[in-house]
Amino acid sequence: MGDVIVIGLGGMGSAAAYHLARRGWQVIGLERFTPAHNRGSSHGRSRIIRQAYFEDPAYVPLLLRAYELWQDLQRTSSEPLLTITGGLMIGRAESGVVRGALRSAQMHHLPHELLDAADIRRRFPPFNVGDDEVALYEARAGFLDPEATVRAHLDQAARHGADLHFDEPVTAWESTPGGGVRVTTPAGVYEAERAVIAPGAWAPRLLADLSLPLTVERQVLYWFEPVGGREPFSIGRFPIYIWEDARGDALYGFPAQGGPPGGVKVAFFYRGHPTDPDRVDRSVHPEEIAEMRTALAQRIPALNGPLVATDTCLYTLTPDHHFIIAPHPRAPQVIIASPCSGHGYKFASVIGEILADLAIDGSTSHSIALFDPARFRATDA
């Protein structure tokens, strides 16, 4: 087998390193920070996973495979990776969240329930839904622990022989005359037959030659201690949810997980500000907290208790919010992956498989036409 360099060992890169090493390839992994760090997009103790995908039904087959791969990975780990809680997509019947989730569920024959406002209030009392709001309930929805899953992929990659380097940022890469790849870091120069570039928020820099229309945004995560205790928010009683209001703004959240930092996690979906990933404002400001408290007071009043923790993370967005996964148009031995767009983590297991397919075979049996960067017409130079 040949050599492959994986640049970036977050959610997608760690999965790619695992799948490549598992298939017998000699993997060199390069990460600018420590394992399972909190400087990018793969942290915060929970990421939603769901199958009735409102964004586009084309994602559903990938999700079904992702679930299988997460369950396979769970068998190698002593940490809980995937927790099934059930999930609600809430909004007016015509909202994108509800309408899109229903479309995917019906097209792919996914088990689901449609709940009216009275049903939601009876089954999930913390939600203060309006009389004109409904929800699609999906029993198979839940959450992943991003730090634990990154660690599990890295541990398995190393077990299969991957040579993983941390605190070693990539400063440059180039094709070699023989059709390979040369990668430069402050510690040295590495050469390999092929490469996978999965740099998350650093994609605009490492893929600058493609002039891709990528935007990096700072997002804020919050953990509140519920008024009256966590029991109504416990796993088994409270689901994951995405809740779109009449203006199209969305709130999402989780059950109480236990352990640090405590509280119950909630955040706004796509309400961030452009940032430089090396100069992110990691402070959470009073006006941001006030904005979240206003939303909670209206929608989930029992969650509007003491604020116990905050954090920031990064979304790397394409204009259409679909992923980018493809061979580099001018260096096909290099596979590029900047797939998050704020909803990618749940796919990390199957994206790792796809990246390994592309690096080894130049193709994959998975349908990824939606993710071709040629749709932006920015690579014709």
Side-chain angles (χ1 to χ4, degrees):
M1 293 293 184
D3 296 328
V4 59
I5 297 171
V6 177
I7 299 174
L9 294 174
M12 311 306 160
S14 65
Y18 162 61
H19 282 282
L20 286 160
R22 187 182 183 187
R23 297 186 199 183
W25 279 64
Q26 298 172 19
V27 174
I28 300 170
L30 301 172
E31 167 59 48
R32 67 173 44 241
F33 298 118
T34 55
H37 61 83
N38 67 348
R39 314 307 288 174
S41 306
S42 302
H43 64 282
R45 295 204 62 227
S46 52
R47 288 290 185 275
I48 286 174
I49 187 166
R50 49 197 165 87
Q51 294 179 356
Y53 217 62
F54 66 80
E55 288 85 346
D56 195 303
Y59 286 92
V60 174
L62 296 177
L63 283 162
L64 298 177
R65 178 58 176 159
Y67 270 75
E68 293 175 349
L69 291 170
W70 289 125
Q71 290 162 349
D72 287 347
L73 187 66
Q74 180 65 80
R75 287 188 275 273
T76 73
S77 176
S78 60
E79 296 184 85
L81 306 181
L82 168 62
T83 302
I84 300 300
T85 64
L88 290 175
M89 300 296 107
I90 309 173
R92 293 180 175 178
E94 68 274 15
S95 67
V97 163
V98 174
R99 188 180 68 251
L102 181 59
R103 179 185 175 210
S104 282
Q106 291 175 334
M107 184 176 296
H108 291 280
H109 308 290
L110 302 173
H112 65 281
E113 299 176 63
L114 290 177
L115 309 181
D116 62 20
D119 294 328
I120 299 167
R121 294 177 191 132
R122 183 180 68 255
R123 291 173 59 172
F124 308 105
F127 293 113
N128 183 34
V129 294
D131 292 338
D132 61 346
E133 292 184 300
V134 299
L136 182 142
Y137 177 74
E138 176 189 340
R140 288 290 295 156
F143 64 85
L144 296 156
D145 183 323
E147 289 94 339
T149 49
V150 168
R151 286 193 295 268
H153 273 138
L154 292 174
D155 289 346
Q156 288 301 306
R159 182 184 174 200
H160 286 86
D163 180 18
L164 306 179
H165 299 238
F166 298 95
D167 293 313
E168 191 169 342
V170 169
T171 56
W173 70 271
E174 60 183 343
S175 298
T176 60
V181 184
R182 181 180 297 117
V183 175
T184 302
T185 78
V189 177
Y190 303 87
E191 292 195 4
E193 293 177 17
R194 304 170 195 189
V196 171
I197 302 181
W202 287 264
R205 193 169 306 163
L206 285 177
L207 302 175
D209 62 313
L210 296 180
S211 300
L212 294 168
L214 302 178
T215 302
V216 178
E217 289 188 352
R218 167 188 174 274
Q219 306 286 334
V220 181
L221 313 174
Y222 304 84
W223 285 261
F224 290 90
E225 196 64 45
V227 176
R230 296 186 198 174
E231 184 60 26
F233 294 88
S234 60
I235 293 172
R237 296 186 63 180
F238 193 74
I240 64 92
Y241 60 92
I242 301 176
W243 189 346
E244 182 180 336
D245 67 17
R247 299 171 300 175
D249 291 335
L251 187 74
Y252 72 94
F254 304 82
Q257 287 181 251
V264 176
K265 181 180 171 184
V266 63
F268 290 115
F269 198 29
Y270 295 130
R271 191 180 294 189
H273 302 284
T275 190
D276 181 326
D278 290 320
R279 296 178 176 82
V280 181
D281 180 1
R282 300 286 177 181
S283 299
V284 178
H285 303 282
E287 60 272 20
E288 294 176 310
I289 297 168
E291 185 178 32
M292 177 55 76
R293 285 199 177 278
T294 297
L296 291 177
Q298 295 170 350
R299 302 203 220 179
I300 316 176
L303 191 50
N304 196 18
L307 177 66
V308 297
T310 60
D311 204 351
T312 58
C313 73
L314 301 175
Y315 283 3
T316 307
L317 304 170
T318 61
D320 59 12
H321 289 180
H322 293 312
F323 307 160
I324 293 174
I325 303 174
H328 190 289
R330 292 186 291 278
Q333 76 276 28
V334 176
I335 311 303
I336 60 175
S338 181
C340 289
S341 282
H343 65 109
Y345 194 86
K346 62 185 72 64
F347 296 91
S349 60
V350 69
I351 288 174
E353 182 173 69
I354 290 167
L355 296 176
D357 290 344
L358 293 174
I360 295 170
D361 302 321
S363 64
T364 180
S365 61
H366 294 290
S367 178
I368 59 170
L370 186 63
F371 313 139
D372 189 340
R375 70 190 188 271
F376 299 121
R377 303 300 180 192
T379 61
D380 296 333

